[in-house]
Amino acid sequence: MTIRFDDRVAVVTGAGSGLGRSHALALAARGAKIVVNDFAGSRAGDARPPADLVVEEIRAAGGVAVSNGSSVADPGQARALVEQAVSQFGRIDILVNNAGFLRDRTFAKLTPEDFDAVVDVHLNGAAYCTMAAWGHMRDQNYGRIVLTTSNSGLFGNFGQSNYAAAKAGLVGLMNALKQEGGKYGILVNTLAPMAATPMTEAVMDEATKAAFDPALVAAAVAYLCSERNTESGRILSTAGGYVSAVQMMSSPGILLGAATTAEAIGENWAKICDFDGARGFASAGDEMRHILERLAAAKLSA
């Protein structure tokens, strides 16, 4: 079965270049009507904003698209972005939260302004756009939302505390929304991409750039946004044709009971941090039930 998006409407943020552009082109090539969002103004050598150029690409290939220059970091503009999709095309089925930028500093040199600026676009911007789309998707009992995290947020990276905090926050947002969206047919998943884009070109050598084609990442977005995907709450790491699932895990741990002291934790540190037999949980409630089961089992065996 070929994945198609005929009669579906997608909003892709930060789609004037890089990964967002690839996402927009991939969805449009499979039949989706696209709202191409990018806050960036025209660049040297062209008087038109980058979102307009991507719209031209899509139309030249026979697709349907309109451009939008809203800043997702502004709640009102994020709302207007979604409303443009609804007024222009009658609905919104897909939201790809991709917009972002870097302001790397070591933490010793980071200012509150540096921190807030990055969090406002990556985390708050994704939340504002999702808030604006949520009601429409709930009313039509269908929606596909993709958030964009990073291996910096999942595993950490030197000099990116602002970016990593925002990207880790998006995983928490997904974990909550997957609980709320399921009964309304809204699936929320997260992408952890690596690709050769204007944002990463300074840190990639030529061989890496050649291997890390953004189109290979866009394939994962197309799948997550499709009707074939029926799962919510997944994190996909993808780069250069490599795709893996990432999950937060809990070690089996130990039960110290009333003997839980700082000293006892220290003495059992290796066992506590042994992830052999680790497991994930579908929700905070599932972990709580697991702990209660461990406590009850310990009482029965006492």
Side-chain angles (χ1 to χ4, degrees):
M1 289 175 60
T2 300
I3 289 175
R4 296 287 303 174
F5 298 101
D6 303 298
D7 301 320
R8 296 296 186 191
V9 178
V11 170
V12 184
T13 70
S17 63
L19 281 169
R21 170 182 169 273
S22 288
H23 300 339
L25 292 174
L27 294 173
R30 293 174 178 270
K33 300 177 178 69
I34 312 291
V35 178
V36 179
N37 161 262
D38 202 296
F39 183 59
S42 58
R43 296 187 174 94
D46 202 305
R48 294 163 295 174
D52 289 1
L53 299 178
V54 175
V55 167
E56 286 186 16
E57 281 189 80
I58 291 171
R59 290 176 177 173
V64 178
V66 295
S67 66
N68 175 281
S70 295
S71 167
V72 298
D74 180 291
Q77 292 188 49
R79 194 161 49 249
L81 164 60
V82 170
E83 290 309 317
Q84 180 181 352
V86 175
S87 63
Q88 191 91 28
F89 300 123
R91 58 191 292 122
I92 176 171
D93 302 288
I94 296 164
L95 172 62
V96 181
N97 290 291
N98 169 79
F101 71 103
L102 296 176
R103 193 171 291 182
D104 293 354
R105 305 278 193 279
T106 60
F107 198 65
K109 296 179 180 178
L110 192 70
T111 67
E113 291 76 19
D114 291 330
F115 191 90
D116 290 347
V118 171
V119 170
D120 279 348
V121 173
H122 289 273
L123 178 56
N124 295 346
Y128 297 152
C129 291
T130 301
M131 286 179 191
W134 196 261
H136 295 289
M137 291 180 173
R138 186 180 58 190
D139 290 345
Q140 67 198 22
N141 203 43
Y142 184 89
R144 296 290 187 270
I145 297 170
V146 174
L147 304 172
T148 306
T149 187
S150 166
N151 56 7
S152 294
L154 297 173
F155 307 116
N157 200 32
F158 186 90
Q160 290 193 317
S161 55
N162 49 2
Y163 180 71
K167 290 306 194 183
L170 287 163
V171 174
L173 179 62
M174 175 196 71
N175 284 335
L177 295 183
K178 74 178 182 182
Q179 310 295 331
E180 299 183 28
K183 65 180 179 180
Y184 300 111
I186 305 172
L187 306 185
V188 186
N189 292 284
T190 301
L191 196 70
M194 284 184 282
T197 70
M199 197 167 80
T200 61
E201 62 185 359
V203 296
M204 286 187 177
D205 59 32
E206 292 306 314
T208 304
K209 289 178 186 177
F212 282 18
D213 184 349
L216 299 175
V217 174
V221 169
Y223 174 75
L224 291 174
C225 293
S226 72
E227 293 180 40
R228 189 182 299 185
N229 173 41
T230 58
E231 293 195 36
S232 195
R234 288 291 188 186
I235 304 168
L236 287 188
S237 174
T238 178
Y242 169 84
V243 185
S244 67
V246 179
Q247 186 174 15
M248 193 171 293
M249 304 293 286
S250 174
S251 74
I254 61 171
L255 185 61
L256 295 170
T260 303
T261 63
E263 291 78 11
I265 290 172
E267 290 164 6
N268 290 277
W269 188 249
K271 291 182 180 178
I272 292 168
C273 296
D274 183 354
F275 276 80
D276 187 26
R279 60 171 291 180
F281 296 98
S283 68
D286 282 350
E287 189 196 22
M288 176 65 76
R289 282 185 286 275
H290 170 70
I291 293 170
L292 290 172
E293 288 169 3
R294 291 283 299 272
L295 293 173
K299 284 184 180 179
L300 287 173
S301 61

